[in-house]
PDB file of all heavy atoms in Angstrom:
ATOM      1  N   LEU A  23     -19.190  13.954  10.922  1.00 94.00           N
ATOM      2  CA  LEU A  23     -18.870  12.691  11.593  1.00 94.00           C
ATOM      3  C   LEU A  23     -19.137  12.825  13.081  1.00 94.00           C
ATOM      4  O   LEU A  23     -18.890  13.893  13.665  1.00 94.00           O
ATOM      5  CB  LEU A  23     -17.394  12.316  11.388  1.00 94.00           C
ATOM      6  CG  LEU A  23     -16.947  11.882   9.987  1.00 94.00           C
ATOM      7  CD1 LEU A  23     -15.429  11.706   9.967  1.00 94.00           C
ATOM      8  CD2 LEU A  23     -17.620  10.584   9.582  1.00 94.00           C
ATOM      9  N   PRO A  24     -19.596  11.762  13.718  1.00 96.00           N
ATOM     10  CA  PRO A  24     -19.740  11.818  15.174  1.00 96.00           C
ATOM     11  C   PRO A  24     -18.376  11.948  15.844  1.00 96.00           C
ATOM     12  O   PRO A  24     -17.360  11.524  15.286  1.00 96.00           O
ATOM     13  CB  PRO A  24     -20.391  10.468  15.524  1.00 96.00           C
ATOM     14  CG  PRO A  24     -20.856   9.881  14.231  1.00 96.00           C
ATOM     15  CD  PRO A  24     -20.021  10.467  13.154  1.00 96.00           C
ATOM     16  N   ASP A  25     -18.346  12.528  17.017  1.00 97.00           N
ATOM     17  CA  ASP A  25     -17.114  12.560  17.802  1.00 97.00           C
ATOM     18  C   ASP A  25     -16.783  11.152  18.293  1.00 97.00           C
ATOM     19  O   ASP A  25     -17.673  10.308  18.464  1.00 97.00           O
ATOM     20  CB  ASP A  25     -17.271  13.488  19.016  1.00 97.00           C
ATOM     21  CG  ASP A  25     -17.336  14.958  18.616  1.00 97.00           C
ATOM     22  OD1 ASP A  25     -17.124  15.248  17.418  1.00 97.00           O
ATOM     23  OD2 ASP A  25     -17.604  15.797  19.490  1.00 97.00           O
ATOM     24  N   GLY A  26     -15.486  10.906  18.496  1.00 96.00           N
ATOM     25  CA  GLY A  26     -15.063   9.670  19.143  1.00 96.00           C
ATOM     26  C   GLY A  26     -14.699   8.512  18.227  1.00 96.00           C
ATOM     27  O   GLY A  26     -14.413   7.415  18.707  1.00 96.00           O
ATOM     28  N   ILE A  27     -14.709   8.734  16.906  1.00 96.00           N
ATOM     29  CA  ILE A  27     -14.286   7.668  15.985  1.00 96.00           C
ATOM     30  C   ILE A  27     -12.760   7.632  15.944  1.00 96.00           C
ATOM     31  O   ILE A  27     -12.121   8.665  15.719  1.00 96.00           O
ATOM     32  CB  ILE A  27     -14.836   7.909  14.574  1.00 96.00           C
ATOM     33  CG1 ILE A  27     -16.366   7.929  14.574  1.00 96.00           C
ATOM     34  CG2 ILE A  27     -14.319   6.840  13.603  1.00 96.00           C
ATOM     35  CD1 ILE A  27     -16.958   8.294  13.233  1.00 96.00           C
ATOM     36  N   PRO A  28     -12.134   6.471  16.143  1.00 96.00           N
ATOM     37  CA  PRO A  28     -10.668   6.411  16.078  1.00 96.00           C
ATOM     38  C   PRO A  28     -10.146   6.756  14.685  1.00 96.00           C
ATOM     39  O   PRO A  28     -10.696   6.300  13.679  1.00 96.00           O
ATOM     40  CB  PRO A  28     -10.344   4.950  16.423  1.00 96.00           C
ATOM     41  CG  PRO A  28     -11.571   4.418  17.088  1.00 96.00           C
ATOM     42  CD  PRO A  28     -12.725   5.168  16.507  1.00 96.00           C
ATOM     43  N   VAL A  29      -9.141   7.583  14.648  1.00 96.00           N
ATOM     44  CA  VAL A  29      -8.398   7.848  13.407  1.00 96.00           C
ATOM     45  C   VAL A  29      -7.165   6.963  13.484  1.00 96.00           C
ATOM     46  O   VAL A  29      -6.317   7.145  14.354  1.00 96.00           O
ATOM     47  CB  VAL A  29      -8.017   9.331  13.286  1.00 96.00           C
ATOM     48  CG1 VAL A  29      -7.273   9.590  11.975  1.00 96.00           C
ATOM     49  CG2 VAL A  29      -9.247  10.207  13.389  1.00 96.00           C
ATOM     50  N   ALA A  30      -7.053   5.985  12.580  1.00 96.00           N
ATOM     51  CA  ALA A  30      -6.145   4.888  12.888  1.00 96.00           C
ATOM     52  C   ALA A  30      -5.284   4.366  11.741  1.00 96.00           C
ATOM     53  O   ALA A  30      -4.454   3.502  11.970  1.00 96.00           O
ATOM     54  CB  ALA A  30      -6.950   3.706  13.452  1.00 96.00           C
ATOM     55  N   GLY A  31      -5.434   4.830  10.524  1.00 95.00           N
ATOM     56  CA  GLY A  31      -4.616   4.293   9.438  1.00 95.00           C
ATOM     57  C   GLY A  31      -4.267   5.373   8.440  1.00 95.00           C
ATOM     58  O   GLY A  31      -5.133   6.103   7.980  1.00 95.00           O
ATOM     59  N   ILE A  32      -2.990   5.516   8.132  1.00 97.00           N
ATOM     60  CA  ILE A  32      -2.543   6.518   7.165  1.00 97.00           C
ATOM     61  C   ILE A  32      -1.505   5.872   6.259  1.00 97.00           C
ATOM     62  O   ILE A  32      -0.580   5.209   6.735  1.00 97.00           O
ATOM     63  CB  ILE A  32      -1.875   7.736   7.840  1.00 97.00           C
ATOM     64  CG1 ILE A  32      -2.732   8.296   8.977  1.00 97.00           C
ATOM     65  CG2 ILE A  32      -1.583   8.822   6.820  1.00 97.00           C
ATOM     66  CD1 ILE A  32      -2.031   9.404   9.746  1.00 97.00           C
ATOM     67  N   ALA A  33      -1.631   6.092   4.952  1.00 97.00           N
ATOM     68  CA  ALA A  33      -0.587   5.647   4.028  1.00 97.00           C
ATOM     69  C   ALA A  33      -0.692   6.434   2.740  1.00 97.00           C
ATOM     70  O   ALA A  33      -1.782   6.850   2.336  1.00 97.00           O
ATOM     71  CB  ALA A  33      -0.709   4.152   3.737  1.00 97.00           C
ATOM     72  N   GLY A  34       0.432   6.639   2.103  1.00 96.00           N
ATOM     73  CA  GLY A  34       0.449   7.243   0.786  1.00 96.00           C
ATOM     74  C   GLY A  34      -0.277   6.357  -0.216  1.00 96.00           C
ATOM     75  O   GLY A  34      -0.477   5.159   0.012  1.00 96.00           O
ATOM     76  N   ASP A  35      -0.655   6.941  -1.314  1.00 94.00           N
ATOM     77  CA  ASP A  35      -1.501   6.279  -2.311  1.00 94.00           C
ATOM     78  C   ASP A  35      -0.977   4.894  -2.698  1.00 94.00           C
ATOM     79  O   ASP A  35      -1.670   3.884  -2.530  1.00 94.00           O
ATOM     80  CB  ASP A  35      -1.567   7.181  -3.551  1.00 94.00           C
ATOM     81  CG  ASP A  35      -2.668   6.797  -4.517  1.00 94.00           C
ATOM     82  OD1 ASP A  35      -3.400   5.843  -4.232  1.00 94.00           O
ATOM     83  OD2 ASP A  35      -2.791   7.467  -5.540  1.00 94.00           O
ATOM     84  N   GLN A  36       0.234   4.827  -3.215  1.00 96.00           N
ATOM     85  CA  GLN A  36       0.727   3.555  -3.736  1.00 96.00           C
ATOM     86  C   GLN A  36       1.155   2.587  -2.647  1.00 96.00           C
ATOM     87  O   GLN A  36       1.055   1.368  -2.793  1.00 96.00           O
ATOM     88  CB  GLN A  36       1.876   3.818  -4.716  1.00 96.00           C
ATOM     89  CG  GLN A  36       1.484   4.667  -5.904  1.00 96.00           C
ATOM     90  CD  GLN A  36       0.227   4.147  -6.589  1.00 96.00           C
ATOM     91  OE1 GLN A  36       0.051   2.936  -6.751  1.00 96.00           O
ATOM     92  NE2 GLN A  36      -0.666   5.041  -6.983  1.00 96.00           N
ATOM     93  N   GLN A  37       1.615   3.115  -1.525  1.00 97.00           N
ATOM     94  CA  GLN A  37       1.934   2.228  -0.399  1.00 97.00           C
ATOM     95  C   GLN A  37       0.676   1.566   0.138  1.00 97.00           C
ATOM     96  O   GLN A  37       0.688   0.381   0.505  1.00 97.00           O
ATOM     97  CB  GLN A  37       2.638   3.018   0.714  1.00 97.00           C
ATOM     98  CG  GLN A  37       4.032   3.485   0.344  1.00 97.00           C
ATOM     99  CD  GLN A  37       4.049   4.893  -0.196  1.00 97.00           C
ATOM    100  OE1 GLN A  37       3.076   5.369  -0.794  1.00 97.00           O
ATOM    101  NE2 GLN A  37       5.160   5.591  -0.001  1.00 97.00           N
ATOM    102  N   ALA A  38      -0.413   2.322   0.172  1.00 97.00           N
ATOM    103  CA  ALA A  38      -1.680   1.746   0.617  1.00 97.00           C
ATOM    104  C   ALA A  38      -2.129   0.635  -0.328  1.00 97.00           C
ATOM    105  O   ALA A  38      -2.634  -0.409   0.108  1.00 97.00           O
ATOM    106  CB  ALA A  38      -2.753   2.834   0.694  1.00 97.00           C
ATOM    107  N   ALA A  39      -1.920   0.838  -1.635  1.00 97.00           N
ATOM    108  CA  ALA A  39      -2.278  -0.194  -2.598  1.00 97.00           C
ATOM    109  C   ALA A  39      -1.415  -1.437  -2.425  1.00 97.00           C
ATOM    110  O   ALA A  39      -1.908  -2.570  -2.542  1.00 97.00           O
ATOM    111  CB  ALA A  39      -2.155   0.351  -4.019  1.00 97.00           C
ATOM    112  N   LEU A  40      -0.130  -1.255  -2.144  1.00 98.00           N
ATOM    113  CA  LEU A  40       0.760  -2.400  -1.907  1.00 98.00           C
ATOM    114  C   LEU A  40       0.290  -3.191  -0.686  1.00 98.00           C
ATOM    115  O   LEU A  40       0.270  -4.423  -0.704  1.00 98.00           O
ATOM    116  CB  LEU A  40       2.192  -1.908  -1.687  1.00 98.00           C
ATOM    117  CG  LEU A  40       3.277  -2.981  -1.558  1.00 98.00           C
ATOM    118  CD1 LEU A  40       3.505  -3.696  -2.887  1.00 98.00           C
ATOM    119  CD2 LEU A  40       4.594  -2.356  -1.068  1.00 98.00           C
ATOM    120  N   PHE A  41      -0.140  -2.483   0.352  1.00 98.00           N
ATOM    121  CA  PHE A  41      -0.646  -3.147   1.551  1.00 98.00           C
ATOM    122  C   PHE A  41      -1.984  -3.811   1.253  1.00 98.00           C
ATOM    123  O   PHE A  41      -2.247  -4.938   1.687  1.00 98.00           O
ATOM    124  CB  PHE A  41      -0.796  -2.138   2.695  1.00 98.00           C
ATOM    125  CG  PHE A  41      -0.917  -2.791   4.041  1.00 98.00           C
ATOM    126  CD1 PHE A  41       0.210  -3.146   4.763  1.00 98.00           C
ATOM    127  CD2 PHE A  41      -2.170  -3.046   4.598  1.00 98.00           C
ATOM    128  CE1 PHE A  41       0.108  -3.748   6.013  1.00 98.00           C
ATOM    129  CE2 PHE A  41      -2.282  -3.647   5.841  1.00 98.00           C
ATOM    130  CZ  PHE A  41      -1.138  -4.002   6.549  1.00 98.00           C
ATOM    131  N   GLY A  42      -2.833  -3.123   0.509  1.00 97.00           N
ATOM    132  CA  GLY A  42      -4.130  -3.687   0.154  1.00 97.00           C
ATOM    133  C   GLY A  42      -4.009  -4.948  -0.680  1.00 97.00           C
ATOM    134  O   GLY A  42      -4.876  -5.832  -0.636  1.00 97.00           O
ATOM    135  N   GLN A  43      -2.915  -5.067  -1.421  1.00 97.00           N
ATOM    136  CA  GLN A  43      -2.656  -6.267  -2.210  1.00 97.00           C
ATOM    137  C   GLN A  43      -1.968  -7.358  -1.395  1.00 97.00           C
ATOM    138  O   GLN A  43      -1.619  -8.414  -1.943  1.00 97.00           O
ATOM    139  CB  GLN A  43      -1.780  -5.915  -3.425  1.00 97.00           C
ATOM    140  CG  GLN A  43      -2.503  -5.150  -4.525  1.00 97.00           C
ATOM    141  CD  GLN A  43      -3.299  -6.074  -5.427  1.00 97.00           C
ATOM    142  OE1 GLN A  43      -3.771  -7.123  -5.022  1.00 97.00           O
ATOM    143  NE2 GLN A  43      -3.439  -5.670  -6.679  1.00 97.00           N
ATOM    144  N   ALA A  44      -1.803  -7.126  -0.096  1.00 97.00           N
ATOM    145  CA  ALA A  44      -1.200  -8.111   0.821  1.00 97.00           C
ATOM    146  C   ALA A  44       0.180  -8.556   0.359  1.00 97.00           C
ATOM    147  O   ALA A  44       0.543  -9.732   0.477  1.00 97.00           O
ATOM    148  CB  ALA A  44      -2.126  -9.316   1.000  1.00 97.00           C
ATOM    149  N   CYS A  45       0.956  -7.605  -0.162  1.00 97.00           N
ATOM    150  CA  CYS A  45       2.333  -7.905  -0.580  1.00 97.00           C
ATOM    151  C   CYS A  45       3.255  -7.748   0.635  1.00 97.00           C
ATOM    152  O   CYS A  45       4.025  -6.779   0.735  1.00 97.00           O
ATOM    153  CB  CYS A  45       2.757  -6.984  -1.716  1.00 97.00           C
ATOM    154  SG  CYS A  45       1.866  -7.270  -3.262  1.00 97.00           S
ATOM    155  N   PHE A  46       3.160  -8.687   1.546  1.00 97.00           N
ATOM    156  CA  PHE A  46       3.844  -8.580   2.833  1.00 97.00           C
ATOM    157  C   PHE A  46       5.234  -9.215   2.835  1.00 97.00           C
ATOM    158  O   PHE A  46       6.003  -9.003   3.772  1.00 97.00           O
ATOM    159  CB  PHE A  46       2.998  -9.217   3.932  1.00 97.00           C
ATOM    160  CG  PHE A  46       1.632  -8.597   4.090  1.00 97.00           C
ATOM    161  CD1 PHE A  46       0.521  -9.378   4.398  1.00 97.00           C
ATOM    162  CD2 PHE A  46       1.455  -7.234   3.929  1.00 97.00           C
ATOM    163  CE1 PHE A  46      -0.732  -8.800   4.538  1.00 97.00           C
ATOM    164  CE2 PHE A  46       0.200  -6.644   4.069  1.00 97.00           C
ATOM    165  CZ  PHE A  46      -0.898  -7.437   4.368  1.00 97.00           C
ATOM    166  N   GLU A  47       5.546 -10.009   1.808  1.00 95.00           N
ATOM    167  CA  GLU A  47       6.827 -10.689   1.776  1.00 95.00           C
ATOM    168  C   GLU A  47       7.772  -9.980   0.803  1.00 95.00           C
ATOM    169  O   GLU A  47       7.346  -9.517  -0.259  1.00 95.00           O
ATOM    170  CB  GLU A  47       6.650 -12.146   1.329  1.00 95.00           C
ATOM    171  CG  GLU A  47       5.762 -12.968   2.243  1.00 95.00           C
ATOM    172  CD  GLU A  47       6.298 -13.058   3.659  1.00 95.00           C
ATOM    173  OE1 GLU A  47       7.553 -13.128   3.811  1.00 95.00           O
ATOM    174  OE2 GLU A  47       5.490 -13.026   4.606  1.00 95.00           O
ATOM    175  N   PRO A  48       9.070  -9.887   1.152  1.00 94.00           N
ATOM    176  CA  PRO A  48      10.028  -9.296   0.223  1.00 94.00           C
ATOM    177  C   PRO A  48       9.975 -10.002  -1.131  1.00 94.00           C
ATOM    178  O   PRO A  48       9.919 -11.232  -1.202  1.00 94.00           O
ATOM    179  CB  PRO A  48      11.374  -9.520   0.921  1.00 94.00           C
ATOM    180  CG  PRO A  48      11.039  -9.595   2.378  1.00 94.00           C
ATOM    181  CD  PRO A  48       9.700 -10.267   2.440  1.00 94.00           C
ATOM    182  N   GLY A  49       9.940  -9.208  -2.188  1.00 94.00           N
ATOM    183  CA  GLY A  49       9.861  -9.760  -3.530  1.00 94.00           C
ATOM    184  C   GLY A  49       8.472  -9.718  -4.123  1.00 94.00           C
ATOM    185  O   GLY A  49       8.314  -9.816  -5.338  1.00 94.00           O
ATOM    186  N   GLN A  50       7.452  -9.577  -3.277  1.00 95.00           N
ATOM    187  CA  GLN A  50       6.091  -9.466  -3.804  1.00 95.00           C
ATOM    188  C   GLN A  50       5.879  -8.054  -4.349  1.00 95.00           C
ATOM    189  O   GLN A  50       6.346  -7.070  -3.775  1.00 95.00           O
ATOM    190  CB  GLN A  50       5.064  -9.771  -2.716  1.00 95.00           C
ATOM    191  CG  GLN A  50       5.004 -11.236  -2.320  1.00 95.00           C
ATOM    192  CD  GLN A  50       3.848 -11.511  -1.364  1.00 95.00           C
ATOM    193  OE1 GLN A  50       3.694 -10.842  -0.334  1.00 95.00           O
ATOM    194  NE2 GLN A  50       3.043 -12.515  -1.688  1.00 95.00           N
ATOM    195  N   ALA A  51       5.162  -7.974  -5.467  1.00 97.00           N
ATOM    196  CA  ALA A  51       5.011  -6.690  -6.150  1.00 97.00           C
ATOM    197  C   ALA A  51       3.603  -6.509  -6.689  1.00 97.00           C
ATOM    198  O   ALA A  51       2.884  -7.480  -6.938  1.00 97.00           O
ATOM    199  CB  ALA A  51       6.018  -6.577  -7.298  1.00 97.00           C
ATOM    200  N   LYS A  52       3.234  -5.250  -6.848  1.00 97.00           N
ATOM    201  CA  LYS A  52       1.925  -4.921  -7.432  1.00 97.00           C
ATOM    202  C   LYS A  52       2.101  -3.803  -8.435  1.00 97.00           C
ATOM    203  O   LYS A  52       3.047  -3.010  -8.384  1.00 97.00           O
ATOM    204  CB  LYS A  52       0.946  -4.512  -6.335  1.00 97.00           C
ATOM    205  CG  LYS A  52       1.242  -3.160  -5.671  1.00 97.00           C
ATOM    206  CD  LYS A  52       0.594  -1.987  -6.386  1.00 97.00           C
ATOM    207  CE  LYS A  52       1.146  -0.657  -5.896  1.00 97.00           C
ATOM    208  NZ  LYS A  52       0.632   0.484  -6.680  1.00 97.00           N
ATOM    209  N   SER A  53       1.158  -3.733  -9.378  1.00 97.00           N
ATOM    210  CA  SER A  53       1.108  -2.629 -10.330  1.00 97.00           C
ATOM    211  C   SER A  53      -0.295  -2.070 -10.346  1.00 97.00           C
ATOM    212  O   SER A  53      -1.268  -2.814 -10.511  1.00 97.00           O
ATOM    213  CB  SER A  53       1.498  -3.101 -11.732  1.00 97.00           C
ATOM    214  OG  SER A  53       1.438  -2.016 -12.655  1.00 97.00           O
ATOM    215  N   THR A  54      -0.414  -0.781 -10.148  1.00 97.00           N
ATOM    216  CA  THR A  54      -1.699  -0.092 -10.188  1.00 97.00           C
ATOM    217  C   THR A  54      -1.816   0.649 -11.514  1.00 97.00           C
ATOM    218  O   THR A  54      -0.964   1.473 -11.845  1.00 97.00           O
ATOM    219  CB  THR A  54      -1.829   0.900  -9.015  1.00 97.00           C
ATOM    220  OG1 THR A  54      -1.780   0.183  -7.781  1.00 97.00           O
ATOM    221  CG2 THR A  54      -3.143   1.674  -9.096  1.00 97.00           C
ATOM    222  N   TYR A  55      -2.864   0.345 -12.275  1.00 97.00           N
ATOM    223  CA  TYR A  55      -3.072   0.950 -13.583  1.00 97.00           C
ATOM    224  C   TYR A  55      -4.164   2.003 -13.473  1.00 97.00           C
ATOM    225  O   TYR A  55      -5.351   1.685 -13.504  1.00 97.00           O
ATOM    226  CB  TYR A  55      -3.486  -0.115 -14.607  1.00 97.00           C
ATOM    227  CG  TYR A  55      -2.448  -1.191 -14.847  1.00 97.00           C
ATOM    228  CD1 TYR A  55      -2.323  -2.261 -13.968  1.00 97.00           C
ATOM    229  CD2 TYR A  55      -1.607  -1.145 -15.955  1.00 97.00           C
ATOM    230  CE1 TYR A  55      -1.373  -3.253 -14.178  1.00 97.00           C
ATOM    231  CE2 TYR A  55      -0.663  -2.132 -16.173  1.00 97.00           C
ATOM    232  CZ  TYR A  55      -0.545  -3.174 -15.276  1.00 97.00           C
ATOM    233  OH  TYR A  55       0.394  -4.150 -15.488  1.00 97.00           O
ATOM    234  N   GLY A  56      -3.759   3.229 -13.324  1.00 94.00           N
ATOM    235  CA  GLY A  56      -4.703   4.336 -13.304  1.00 94.00           C
ATOM    236  C   GLY A  56      -4.379   5.264 -14.461  1.00 94.00           C
ATOM    237  O   GLY A  56      -4.088   4.819 -15.564  1.00 94.00           O
ATOM    238  N   THR A  57      -4.398   6.563 -14.211  1.00 95.00           N
ATOM    239  CA  THR A  57      -3.952   7.525 -15.210  1.00 95.00           C
ATOM    240  C   THR A  57      -2.531   7.195 -15.643  1.00 95.00           C
ATOM    241  O   THR A  57      -2.193   7.177 -16.817  1.00 95.00           O
ATOM    242  CB  THR A  57      -4.028   8.956 -14.656  1.00 95.00           C
ATOM    243  OG1 THR A  57      -5.383   9.225 -14.290  1.00 95.00           O
ATOM    244  CG2 THR A  57      -3.568   9.960 -15.683  1.00 95.00           C
ATOM    245  N   GLY A  58      -1.697   6.922 -14.636  1.00 96.00           N
ATOM    246  CA  GLY A  58      -0.369   6.361 -14.864  1.00 96.00           C
ATOM    247  C   GLY A  58      -0.347   4.940 -14.352  1.00 96.00           C
ATOM    248  O   GLY A  58      -1.386   4.387 -13.994  1.00 96.00           O
ATOM    249  N   ALA A  59       0.834   4.339 -14.315  1.00 97.00           N
ATOM    250  CA  ALA A  59       0.976   3.002 -13.742  1.00 97.00           C
ATOM    251  C   ALA A  59       2.088   3.052 -12.712  1.00 97.00           C
ATOM    252  O   ALA A  59       3.136   3.669 -12.943  1.00 97.00           O
ATOM    253  CB  ALA A  59       1.294   1.966 -14.814  1.00 97.00           C
ATOM    254  N   PHE A  60       1.864   2.394 -11.572  1.00 97.00           N
ATOM    255  CA  PHE A  60       2.798   2.497 -10.462  1.00 97.00           C
ATOM    256  C   PHE A  60       3.103   1.102  -9.943  1.00 97.00           C
ATOM    257  O   PHE A  60       2.212   0.397  -9.472  1.00 97.00           O
ATOM    258  CB  PHE A  60       2.208   3.374  -9.352  1.00 97.00           C
ATOM    259  CG  PHE A  60       1.840   4.750  -9.845  1.00 97.00           C
ATOM    260  CD1 PHE A  60       0.577   5.007 -10.354  1.00 97.00           C
ATOM    261  CD2 PHE A  60       2.776   5.767  -9.847  1.00 97.00           C
ATOM    262  CE1 PHE A  60       0.238   6.261 -10.847  1.00 97.00           C
ATOM    263  CE2 PHE A  60       2.448   7.030 -10.333  1.00 97.00           C
ATOM    264  CZ  PHE A  60       1.182   7.269 -10.828  1.00 97.00           C
ATOM    265  N   VAL A  61       4.372   0.719 -10.071  1.00 98.00           N
ATOM    266  CA  VAL A  61       4.820  -0.609  -9.674  1.00 98.00           C
ATOM    267  C   VAL A  61       5.624  -0.483  -8.400  1.00 98.00           C
ATOM    268  O   VAL A  61       6.585   0.297  -8.327  1.00 98.00           O
ATOM    269  CB  VAL A  61       5.676  -1.263 -10.778  1.00 98.00           C
ATOM    270  CG1 VAL A  61       5.995  -2.709 -10.422  1.00 98.00           C
ATOM    271  CG2 VAL A  61       4.982  -1.178 -12.127  1.00 98.00           C
ATOM    272  N   LEU A  62       5.244  -1.232  -7.367  1.00 97.00           N
ATOM    273  CA  LEU A  62       5.990  -1.266  -6.113  1.00 97.00           C
ATOM    274  C   LEU A  62       6.322  -2.693  -5.750  1.00 97.00           C
ATOM    275  O   LEU A  62       5.476  -3.593  -5.904  1.00 97.00           O
ATOM    276  CB  LEU A  62       5.192  -0.634  -4.961  1.00 97.00           C
ATOM    277  CG  LEU A  62       5.418   0.871  -4.711  1.00 97.00           C
ATOM    278  CD1 LEU A  62       4.754   1.681  -5.815  1.00 97.00           C
ATOM    279  CD2 LEU A  62       4.862   1.285  -3.350  1.00 97.00           C
ATOM    280  N   MET A  63       7.554  -2.899  -5.271  1.00 96.00           N
ATOM    281  CA  MET A  63       7.984  -4.208  -4.783  1.00 96.00           C
ATOM    282  C   MET A  63       8.435  -4.089  -3.336  1.00 96.00           C
ATOM    283  O   MET A  63       9.234  -3.213  -2.990  1.00 96.00           O
ATOM    284  CB  MET A  63       9.141  -4.756  -5.621  1.00 96.00           C
ATOM    285  CG  MET A  63       9.746  -6.053  -5.056  1.00 96.00           C
ATOM    286  SD  MET A  63      11.249  -6.588  -5.899  1.00 96.00           S
ATOM    287  CE  MET A  63      10.530  -7.377  -7.341  1.00 96.00           C
ATOM    288  N   ASN A  64       7.918  -4.936  -2.480  1.00 96.00           N
ATOM    289  CA  ASN A  64       8.347  -5.010  -1.093  1.00 96.00           C
ATOM    290  C   ASN A  64       9.782  -5.526  -1.063  1.00 96.00           C
ATOM    291  O   ASN A  64      10.084  -6.580  -1.612  1.00 96.00           O
ATOM    292  CB  ASN A  64       7.412  -5.962  -0.330  1.00 96.00           C
ATOM    293  CG  ASN A  64       7.736  -6.072   1.153  1.00 96.00           C
ATOM    294  OD1 ASN A  64       8.873  -5.941   1.579  1.00 96.00           O
ATOM    295  ND2 ASN A  64       6.714  -6.335   1.957  1.00 96.00           N
ATOM    296  N   THR A  65      10.680  -4.770  -0.429  1.00 95.00           N
ATOM    297  CA  THR A  65      12.081  -5.202  -0.324  1.00 95.00           C
ATOM    298  C   THR A  65      12.482  -5.531   1.108  1.00 95.00           C
ATOM    299  O   THR A  65      13.656  -5.736   1.388  1.00 95.00           O
ATOM    300  CB  THR A  65      13.035  -4.130  -0.891  1.00 95.00           C
ATOM    301  OG1 THR A  65      12.872  -2.906  -0.168  1.00 95.00           O
ATOM    302  CG2 THR A  65      12.764  -3.896  -2.373  1.00 95.00           C
ATOM    303  N   GLY A  66      11.513  -5.580   2.034  1.00 95.00           N
ATOM    304  CA  GLY A  66      11.819  -5.976   3.399  1.00 95.00           C
ATOM    305  C   GLY A  66      12.249  -4.805   4.259  1.00 95.00           C
ATOM    306  O   GLY A  66      11.982  -3.638   3.955  1.00 95.00           O
ATOM    307  N   THR A  67      12.953  -5.096   5.327  1.00 96.00           N
ATOM    308  CA  THR A  67      13.297  -4.083   6.329  1.00 96.00           C
ATOM    309  C   THR A  67      14.598  -3.350   6.033  1.00 96.00           C
ATOM    310  O   THR A  67      15.026  -2.513   6.830  1.00 96.00           O
ATOM    311  CB  THR A  67      13.382  -4.731   7.723  1.00 96.00           C
ATOM    312  OG1 THR A  67      14.311  -5.827   7.679  1.00 96.00           O
ATOM    313  CG2 THR A  67      12.022  -5.257   8.159  1.00 96.00           C
ATOM    314  N   GLU A  68      15.228  -3.661   4.905  1.00 92.00           N
ATOM    315  CA  GLU A  68      16.429  -2.938   4.499  1.00 92.00           C
ATOM    316  C   GLU A  68      16.144  -2.202   3.192  1.00 92.00           C
ATOM    317  O   GLU A  68      15.661  -2.801   2.238  1.00 92.00           O
ATOM    318  CB  GLU A  68      17.599  -3.908   4.295  1.00 92.00           C
ATOM    319  CG  GLU A  68      18.097  -4.576   5.563  1.00 92.00           C
ATOM    320  CD  GLU A  68      18.708  -3.578   6.539  1.00 92.00           C
ATOM    321  OE1 GLU A  68      19.312  -2.586   6.068  1.00 92.00           O
ATOM    322  OE2 GLU A  68      18.565  -3.791   7.753  1.00 92.00           O
TER     323      GLU A  68
END
């Protein structure tokens, strides 16, 4: 890689998928079906 590229985003596997699914409101949920299945629901700031 060339020098000087910003390193700017980090997230765990399933959290990244929740963000990628734009589940930004509490109560929104996603399920990822891979080898296993992983269901995450946004519960807000608490």
Side-chain angles (χ1 to χ4, degrees):
L23 290 174
D25 289 353
I27 299 174
V29 181
I32 310 174
D35 194 1
Q36 300 310 319
Q37 291 95 331
L40 186 69
F41 197 86
Q43 287 278 30
C45 293
F46 301 143
E47 299 300 324
Q50 289 187 308
K52 70 88 193 174
S53 180
T54 298
Y55 298 81
T57 300
F60 303 90
V61 187
L62 268 73
M63 173 188 280
N64 182 329
T65 60
T67 55
E68 293 295 327

